[in-house]
Amino acid sequence: MREVFLAKKGDIEGCLDFLHEMVDSKKIDKREKTRALLMAEEVLVRLDQASDEGSRIRISISKRHGNLKISLSSKGHAFDLYGGEFFEDMTSAHLDIEGMSGSTEEEIRAILLRSFQNKIKYTHKAHENRVQITISKSRYRMLCLTMTGMVLGILTGVLIHAFLPEATADWINDNILTTVTTMFMNSLKIIIAPVVFLSIATSVSGFGNMSELGRIGAKTMSFYFLTSVLALGVGTGMYFIFQTGDPALVSQVGDATQLAEAANGTSTSLLSTFINIVPSNFVKPFFESDMLQIIFLAIVFGLAVSLIGEKGKATRNILESLNEVFMKITMIFMVIIPLATFCSMCSMVLSVGAKAMVSVLTIAGAATLSVLVMIPVYLLLLALFVRVNPFRVFKKYLPTMLQVFSMSSSNASIPLNMRTCREELGIHPRVYSLTIPLGATINMDGSCILLVFLSLSFCSVFGVPITLGRLMMILVITLLLSIGTPGIPNAGLISLALLVEQVSIPLASVTLVMGIYPVLSMFSTANNCLGDVVGTLCVARSEGLVDMDVLKKK
């Protein structure tokens, strides 16, 4: 939908009347309306000055993918929209408003336009000036694109599987789809370690009072432990409700040699988990993306910067600047999420196949429902600890949650979750910079539910008795695995393989869900990240570090 207005050169008043009428008709925030009209007025003055005699100024307002924009254009010579020369003159002097003379109006206009430059795009082509002003951006735009990519990926996978030879489908999957997905995940791995280190180090270094840091850290760990225990209860309870695990599925069991090798190389010992938190050198954790070790280094580094007082200000400024840089890099990579989602879903359909999906549909469906049951638990915690409408919070996080779903990686989702905490939930960086990376490493509620539910279902398939001792062992090992999940591909499957071996369930049972586990992992990751954000909000609220105006804003 686009409204267009043509005005003669010099008719700025007519242009502003049209803009006022159109902007007032849009359902946007009052502050956004005021800001949009202010930007448009300043741009119009400069655009009119640069327009040719007898030319017309064309104004249009359009809404696409939820983004509301004003477009202005006219024939004329190029001009400096942001007043670059004026700002160059200011580099060695402070701005003195009272001392301004004849050019005061131009100088103020330059200041205003420079402050809005991230929302204004100017180009000059074919002797025509074009300016585009972004009034508001829809937080659902990326969600719509991601969901579209997901649906199209599934449909494309089905069509390829149905109409192309198997060899051709395999070639497409191996050489195109998997390549794009792998490149996207590799691009995220570039920034995971720096983002985690810089965000936590920056947060910790900003605590002038170490008791405040200890208090927030203790609250965070306590909350994550609480939700992990609740998740174990949900997984156990849902299994006894559904009683999944048909013994006839034994015929579907395949070879699990590779999983056995990977599981044998992983330890669930509580002692080894704690020992491995401290790295042998400063660089190795970054090469291996060992999140627990990176978090340890970040906390120690941040504490050191804070404790040296005034001398640490320069270092903290560097940390903040680098943190912003890596967050911006992340946003650049996020642009290709829809394409990566398309390729990932299409590859999943081609890899799994219909027969394997049908054979484990009951277990997979019940496991997915078990993960979703955790959502009402989070909503209840929000109502109790934050004392706001939990459905409003969930609605604000939903677009991010569905993007996280498509990424299927808690670590890769850290920047997205931190941005949502800041922009949508009004949480102070001092809290989310610490709690989100920490939660992505040790708070795996969705994974806890899957591990418990699937291992108990495998007991039914193979006739392994579910004694109280075996059940308690499953719960304890699952809790340990949620803290020290291996940082390797298919980590969820590796954890599941390790768990079943520890409780005397045949390792080959894991192959029952191997084909469909990527889908289960998506639900698990979304749940994990929702738990991280809920925990962050609850801790921030208890510390009075939440902007309630932002949180309550629809």
Side-chain angles (χ1 to χ4, degrees), residues 7-14 48 55 57:
K8 295 180 180 179
K9 176 179 171 62
D11 187 16
I12 295 179
E13 185 175 348
D48 183 70
S55 64
I57 299 176

Side-chain angles (χ1 to χ4, degrees), residues 350-376:
L350 294 177
S351 300
V352 172
K355 183 178 179 181
M357 292 182 72
V358 172
S359 66
V360 295
L361 187 60
T362 302
I363 294 178
T368 300
L369 182 60
S370 300
V371 172
L372 295 177
V373 166
M374 193 65 189
I375 294 178

